[in-house]
Amino acid sequence: MTSALVLVSTPIGNLGDISQRAIDELIAADLVCCEDTRRTGRLLSHLGISTRLMRADEHTEHRAAGEVIQHLQAGQRVVLVSDAGTPGVSDPGQHMVELVLAAGLEVSSIPGPSAALAALVASGLPTARFVFEGFLERRGSARQKTLLAIAAQHRTVVLYESPNRTAATLRDLAEVCGSDRRAVVARELTKLHEEFIRGSLGQLIEWADRSIKGEVVILVEGAPPPGEPTDEEITEAIAAALAAGGSRRDAASEVAAALGVGRSRVYDLVLSSGDSTSSE
Ligand code: SAM
């Protein structure tokens, strides 16, 4: 095995989800960086692995990267794991990767469990394109800005949330998206009490009106695509285009292109608007 920093995904609940490649990397590594040495120590002892552990959590990631770079420059292989799932996804990892790459060294990954993907694929919501938002800001204008962006988003949105904030977040989402928007809460994925609650945001708020335990992913269906413009909207756009000058023919072409509707429909409305102030 050549020298590299390897990001290894670990189980998000069910230890059976560890892959053979993940085990091989953990055995072969000279050093395993992790958020919590006790927690990862338990995983390694469950697997019968005794590789040296070093803490690299959100506070120590930068400092740990310096040491990791020295190991890599000495030709060693270093693994980075997080407490659960894929490191770097709402978990430490990104900064270490940036620093290792900046030092001209190799980075690789062993894919595996990720709560976002496990929730998405079984949610029943569109999966072809999706947006991962991670944890919402806790409060203030930054949270409101993200909520509004989610409401306007046409792709499925995936959010991480703590159980005790789930009800409030569902209420905030319903406020901006409307309570009819489809959504899913995926709870305790891969564990004994795994469940998917599928419905409208309004129904999920009712479901959340009790104490929620365990880990939670929230998914929200994308906003519906904008509908065909009405005749009134087209007529208004025609009036604006005519007021800006130009012929009725030009106004029709301009409005058809801007609103994405057929030119003949627009031209019929130009004629029926009876505007006689503009020339052909
Ligand atoms: N890096 C991890 C990953 O790849 O999924 C995510 C870590 S983030 C700190 C923890 C959040 O992930 C939790 O608050 C929850 O939103 C989600 N999560 C993790 N495990 C989960 C599980 N078993 N079921 C549902 N959500 C989970």
Side-chain angles (χ1 to χ4, degrees), residues 163-185:
N164 59 344
R165 299 179 62 84
T166 295
T169 292
L170 290 171
R171 278 197 296 274
D172 287 353
L173 286 166
E175 192 119 316
V176 291
C177 302
S179 53
D180 290 338
R181 182 85 71 92
R182 279 205 302 161
V184 176
V185 171

Side-chain angles (χ1 to χ4, degrees), residues 175-196:
E175 192 119 316
V176 291
C177 302
S179 53
D180 290 338
R181 182 85 71 92
R182 279 205 302 161
V184 176
V185 171
R187 197 181 74 83
E188 291 289 83
L189 290 162
T190 78
K191 302 181 196 173
L192 185 61
H193 297 294
E194 172 178 297
E195 61 175 335
F196 286 85

Side-chain angles (χ1 to χ4, degrees), residues 12 82 84-86 89-91 113-116 135 160-161 186-189 191 215-217:
I12 55 170
S82 62
T86 302
V89 177
S90 292
D91 267 339
S114 164
F135 289 96
Y160 284 165
E161 193 48 285
R187 197 181 74 83
E188 291 289 83
L189 290 162
K191 302 181 196 173
E215 297 190 278
V216 162
V217 180

Side-chain angles (χ1 to χ4, degrees), residues 9 41 43 50 55 68 71 75 80 97 110 128 132 152 154 173 195 206 222 228 238 250 257 267 271 276:
S9 296
L43 174 68
S50 55
R55 191 169 152 208
V68 167
H71 283 272
L80 174 68
V97 168
I110 303 292
F132 176 67
H154 293 294
L173 286 166
E195 61 175 335
E206 274 178 36
E228 274 276 298
I238 291 167
D250 288 346
Y267 199 66
L271 296 179
S276 56

Side-chain angles (χ1 to χ4, degrees), residues 60-274:
T60 55
E61 188 180 352
H62 269 90
R63 205 167 348 113
E67 200 170 316
V68 167
I69 287 169
Q70 286 177 6
H71 283 272
L72 297 176
Q73 283 168 337
Q76 296 191 341
R77 201 157 170 98
V78 178
V79 161
L80 174 68
V81 297
S82 62
D83 278 352
T86 302
V89 177
S90 292
D91 267 339
Q94 183 192 327
H95 298 308
M96 189 176 292
V97 168
E98 284 168 358
L99 292 166
V100 168
L101 289 176
L105 297 158
E106 280 302 314
V107 177
S108 169
S109 65
I110 303 292
S114 164
L117 289 181
L120 175 71
V121 294
S123 67
L125 299 176
T127 57
R129 292 193 164 81
F130 64 92
V131 173
F132 176 67
E133 280 286 351
F135 289 96
L136 278 181
E137 295 83 0
R138 288 269 172 109
R139 59 184 73 82
S141 59
R143 179 177 172 94
Q144 193 57 21
K145 206 171 150 196
T146 307
L147 284 164
L148 290 172
I150 290 171
Q153 177 56 249
H154 293 294
R155 298 165 186 192
T156 301
V157 176
V158 184
L159 294 164
Y160 284 165
E161 193 48 285
S162 72
N164 59 344
R165 299 179 62 84
T166 295
T169 292
L170 290 171
R171 278 197 296 274
D172 287 353
L173 286 166
E175 192 119 316
V176 291
C177 302
S179 53
D180 290 338
R181 182 85 71 92
R182 279 205 302 161
V184 176
V185 171
R187 197 181 74 83
E188 291 289 83
L189 290 162
T190 78
K191 302 181 196 173
L192 185 61
H193 297 294
E194 172 178 297
E195 61 175 335
F196 286 85
I197 303 97
R198 303 178 178 90
S200 64
L201 279 167
Q203 288 167 329
L204 294 188
I205 289 169
E206 274 178 36
W207 167 82
D209 191 22
R210 62 187 182 117
S211 85
I212 299 171
K213 292 201 179 69
E215 297 190 278
V216 162
V217 180
I218 300 174
L219 305 101
V220 185
E221 184 173 40
E228 274 276 298
T230 62
D231 283 358
E232 289 69 33
E233 284 164 338
I234 296 174
T235 308
E236 269 174 37
I238 291 167
L242 289 173
S247 70
R248 293 195 286 189
R249 198 179 294 279
D250 288 346
S253 304
E254 230 173 79
V255 169
L259 299 183
V261 288
R263 198 177 170 282
S264 60
R265 180 178 169 204
V266 180
Y267 199 66
D268 286 349
L269 288 165
V270 170
L271 296 179
S272 65
S273 71

